[in-house]
Amino acid sequence: MRYNTAEANDKAHREMRKSLRSNATPAEAALWRALKGRGAGGYKFRRQQGIGPYVLDFYCPELRLCVELDGASHDYKYEYDEQRTAYLRRQGIRVVRFENEQVWKSVDRIVEEIVRIGEEMKGQH
């Protein structure tokens, strides 16, 4: 089952998505600067994309790829993250996770890994 794209960004979550964009963590802001404007191998990413009941940090519709940054807010939320990932997989969306610390070590390496995953995914279709 795949989500209905017309319902992907339902109005009930609009204000939450807007708030998340306005109050991005420093790591999210740094990765967004690298991804926006097709900065990752020409792939277009959206930030704070709603999919069903969830809001994804970064999403590439072309690849059906979700990129999540995990920091202190994800500590002890393993069960929630697993349920969320399982839901997204059922929608045909691949989820990759990076720790905020990885952004600070090398945002370029994260972007390279995202491009590598994108190319791998394109090769599978």
Side-chain angles (χ1 to χ4, degrees), residues 8-110:
N9 275 316
D10 73 31
K11 293 177 183 177
H13 293 132
R14 181 178 291 156
E15 288 304 314
M16 180 176 60
R17 291 190 314 274
K18 185 177 178 181
S19 175
L20 288 168
R21 282 191 298 272
S22 297
N23 299 301
T25 67
E28 288 173 340
L31 183 55
W32 178 243
R33 282 190 298 274
L35 293 177
K36 71 180 182 178
R38 298 184 182 268
Y43 297 116
K44 180 173 178 53
F45 277 84
R46 299 174 182 163
R47 61 184 176 141
Q48 305 306 331
Q49 170 74 40
I51 301 288
Y54 301 106
V55 178
L56 314 184
D57 288 346
F58 304 98
Y59 179 65
C60 176
E62 175 186 352
L63 298 171
R64 301 186 62 79
L65 176 65
C66 166
V67 176
E68 290 291 309
L69 289 183
D70 294 338
S73 68
H74 285 266
D75 290 349
Y76 311 107
K77 290 186 178 180
Y78 305 113
E79 187 174 316
Y80 171 83
D81 284 344
E82 285 297 317
Q83 290 173 349
R84 185 176 187 269
T85 298
Y87 173 86
L88 294 171
R89 283 185 185 145
R90 288 192 303 273
Q91 308 310 309
I93 297 170
R94 180 171 176 182
V95 178
V96 294
R97 295 183 171 279
F98 298 97
E99 297 289 330
N100 285 347
E101 188 174 313
Q102 291 175 276
V103 173
W104 304 129
K105 286 183 180 178
S106 179
V107 72
D108 292 338
R109 283 193 187 149
I110 290 176

